[in-house]
Amino acid sequence: MAADVELRLPCLEHQDTLLVTEDDAAADLTPQSPSNRENNPTALVVNSTNASPLIDTSNHSDTTTSSFLPAAKSGQGQNILSSTTTADTSLGREPSGPVKYGELVVLGYNGSLPITETSRKRSKFSLHRRVEANSVKPSNKQFIANPKEKKHSGGDKSKHSVSYTLSRTQAVVVEYEKDEHTDMFQIGRSSETPIDFVVTDTLPGSQRVPGQTQVAQSTISRFSCRICVERSPPYTARIYAAGFDQHNHIFLGEKASKWYNQRDEIDGLTTNGVLLTHPRGQFAGKDCRPGKWREVSVRGGIYSLRETRSVPSKSQKVDSESNILMDGTLIDLCGATLIWRSQKGLEQAPQIHQLEEYIEQINAARPQCPVGLTTLMLPKRSDKIDKSRQPYVYLACGHVHGSHSWKGDQNSTTRTCPMCLKVCSV
């Protein structure tokens, strides 16, 4: 009989079981509920309600990592294209080849799974340096008597502007001018041309019925946010709430939260808000800890969470944090959550061949289920494995077993871990 080998994953505060396959390298990671983030800022938990693979690991397995995956070995898994860019960047000079700023990855899946990853509605969006800079920055402001009139710059399609409606008879219009030093990328639910990355929300698994995946009324804004990246090293990326529409205009209604900052500049928040949290420590490292959730304003200010997302008032400004994206920053669009992976972080992430090596090492140890006494095996994409040898993870404790009905029948919604006797939902 093969020696008993116990597989154990780090304990997660989420009692559930999860089918372990190779696709778990890109597991469905879902942020904690925003209402509990301020007091219990847990950044990521594994959600097994969406059982289908959500990100194609064959094309971009290096975009997501989890705490139980080993880090990439030194000198391995680096992209050929990006290695030249990194060398040039470290020397403080412009890279000779194409420049990749980073990637935005949807945690979960983007609406319904697309047939290909070539459309604007996909699970991953790569940000590359544009041929010409397209970003804008605030210039001056002007008052208008009536927000409905088109005599101000907001009616000029050639100029970017943001309108802050104070009342039915008064609004403040902030004009934006071209910024030759940054590239702008916009994210939102709208399928119109200004949106670079189309993101839609879906029904939770517990509320889904066969044939229905789209929500009846989306909470994601049509023009949710914009990301501006500096065109020169170190390619700093900043996020701002709200995006410009097809008329190059942002409109904040009368009920939206608005105020003047210390520099006498008007600022505001969108209706449902754009939340973000930065990891504390190196992302995917042993010292990485979740940060607190914050809200970003139209001008890029960072504020603590409001009592509810749609309340028309701002909270306290957080001067110790900024809107600069870090590797592993989570972005909550109120219906979909994105994770930002910097190019440097992607180069250090495990590659597909490394993940296959780890699977082979685990299978070579011939781990055995302590209940069914069967040898468990992690499958590869090309393998057809017997379901009786399929490993299952008990997320309440981290123990791994085969499928069994010990202390519960097959139709039961719970399973009891034979090792520690913790009850986990199925």
Side-chain angles (χ1 to χ4, degrees):
M1 181 180 297
D4 293 348
V5 178
E6 179 184 352
L7 293 178
R8 185 178 180 88
L9 297 180
C11 179
L12 301 176
E13 296 180 356
H14 182 75
Q15 298 187 0
D16 206 346
T17 59
L18 181 66
L19 186 67
V20 177
T21 66
E22 186 185 16
D23 292 328
D24 290 322
D28 177 17
L29 302 177
T30 307
Q32 192 182 12
S33 174
S35 60
N36 298 328
R37 289 167 181 159
E38 187 70 29
N39 298 324
N40 187 18
T42 302
L44 295 175
V45 295
V46 177
N47 180 7
S48 62
T49 56
N50 298 331
S52 59
L54 307 179
I55 299 178
D56 186 2
T57 57
S58 63
N59 294 328
H60 39 79
S61 61
D62 59 338
T63 58
T64 54
T65 58
S66 53
S67 59
F68 55 83
L69 290 178
K73 297 179 181 179
S74 176
Q76 294 186 4
Q78 291 190 354
N79 298 325
I80 298 177
L81 177 63
S82 59
S83 59
T84 304
T85 303
T86 305
D88 292 338
T89 303
S90 62
L91 297 176
R93 64 191 183 193
E94 289 292 328
S96 56
V99 176
K100 181 177 179 180
Y101 297 137
E103 292 179 351
L104 287 171
V105 182
V106 178
L107 299 184
Y109 53 96
N110 193 1
S112 57
L113 285 174
I115 299 177
T116 64
E117 286 286 319
T118 59
S119 63
R120 289 190 298 160
K121 182 181 176 184
R122 50 190 180 270
S123 60
K124 182 188 71 172
F125 176 67
S126 298
L127 283 69
H128 296 266
R129 186 165 64 179
R130 301 184 185 273
V131 178
E132 295 182 0
N134 69 329
S135 186
V136 291
K137 58 184 179 180
S139 57
N140 59 351
K141 65 183 180 182
Q142 69 181 72
F143 290 88
I144 62 173
N146 191 343
K148 297 182 180 180
E149 294 180 358
K150 300 298 182 180
K151 297 180 181 180
H152 54 82
S153 60
D156 188 352
K157 296 183 180 180
S158 63
K159 296 182 179 179
H160 290 74
S161 61
V162 180
S163 294
Y164 300 85
T165 303
L166 305 180
S167 65
R168 293 183 179 181
T169 59
Q170 188 181 28
V172 178
V173 177
V174 179
E175 294 182 349
Y176 279 62
E177 61 184 6
K178 189 172 180 59
D179 187 357
E180 299 289 347
H181 304 290
T182 57
D183 290 334
M184 182 172 64
F185 305 88
Q186 300 202 138
I187 302 100
R189 178 172 50 88
S190 175
S191 58
E192 297 177 0
T193 305
I195 296 299
D196 299 287
F197 188 21
V198 180
V199 179
T200 58
D201 46 4
T202 55
L203 288 171
S206 59
Q207 302 177 12
R208 194 176 306 150
V209 296
Q212 182 182 5
T213 57
Q214 301 294 334
V215 296
Q217 185 175 1
S218 177
T219 54
I220 300 178
S221 174
R222 296 174 64 245
F223 304 93
S224 297
C225 65
R226 62 194 190 277
I227 295 176
C228 298
V229 188
E230 295 179 358
R231 293 172 59 85
S232 58
Y235 308 115
T236 303
R238 293 177 172 85
I239 185 172
Y240 304 85
F244 294 97
D245 60 14
Q246 65 273 23
H247 303 297
N248 296 331
H249 189 60
I250 295 176
F251 177 80
L252 268 67
E254 185 178 351
K255 294 183 179 180
S257 178
K258 298 170 286 292
W259 65 90
Y260 282 93
N261 57 25
Q262 296 178 352
R263 296 188 296 271
D264 197 29
E265 299 171 340
I266 192 169
D267 199 356
L269 303 173
T270 56
T271 302
N272 289 333
V274 176
L275 310 183
L276 74 158
T277 177
H278 301 300
R280 297 178 180 177
Q282 183 180 3
F283 182 66
K286 295 182 179 180
D287 59 342
C288 182
R289 295 293 183 270
K292 290 187 177 181
W293 284 91
R294 307 297 188 188
E295 185 168 4
V296 62
S297 68
V298 176
R299 283 185 175 266
I302 299 298
Y303 297 85
S304 57
L305 297 184
R306 293 176 280 180
E307 294 182 1
T308 59
R309 297 191 75 149
S310 59
V311 65
S313 63
K314 75 177 182 72
S315 51
Q316 295 295 325
K317 192 175 189 304
V318 182
D319 295 323
S320 59
E321 299 184 24
S322 70
N323 63 333
I324 297 178
L325 297 179
M326 303 168 55
D327 185 37
T329 295
L330 290 177
I331 305 169
D332 187 352
L333 302 180
C334 190
T337 304
L338 313 177
I339 185 171
W340 167 258
R341 296 306 314 271
S342 65
Q343 181 59 20
K344 183 178 179 180
L346 292 175
E347 294 167 2
Q348 298 174 350
Q351 305 296 306
I352 185 64
H353 68 88
Q354 291 177 289
L355 299 178
E356 292 177 350
E357 291 179 359
Y358 300 144
I359 292 176
E360 292 177 357
Q361 293 175 6
I362 294 176
N363 291 336
R366 299 181 62 82
Q368 193 174 68
C369 174
V371 179
L373 300 180
T374 57
T375 301
L376 304 178
M377 178 177 292
L378 290 173
K380 294 184 179 179
R381 288 186 175 274
S382 59
D383 294 341
K384 292 184 178 180
I385 190 172
D386 186 0
K387 291 185 178 180
S388 62
R389 304 179 65 186
Q390 176 70 59
Y392 287 79
V393 179
Y394 290 73
L395 298 183
C397 56
H399 289 112
V400 181
H401 307 289
S403 178
H404 65 84
S405 58
W406 186 71
K407 284 196 174 183
D409 54 36
Q410 293 292 343
N411 298 325
S412 175
T413 59
T414 60
R415 290 288 189 275
T416 301
C417 176
M419 298 294 294
C420 61
L421 302 182
K422 286 188 177 181
V423 179
C424 307
S425 60
V426 176

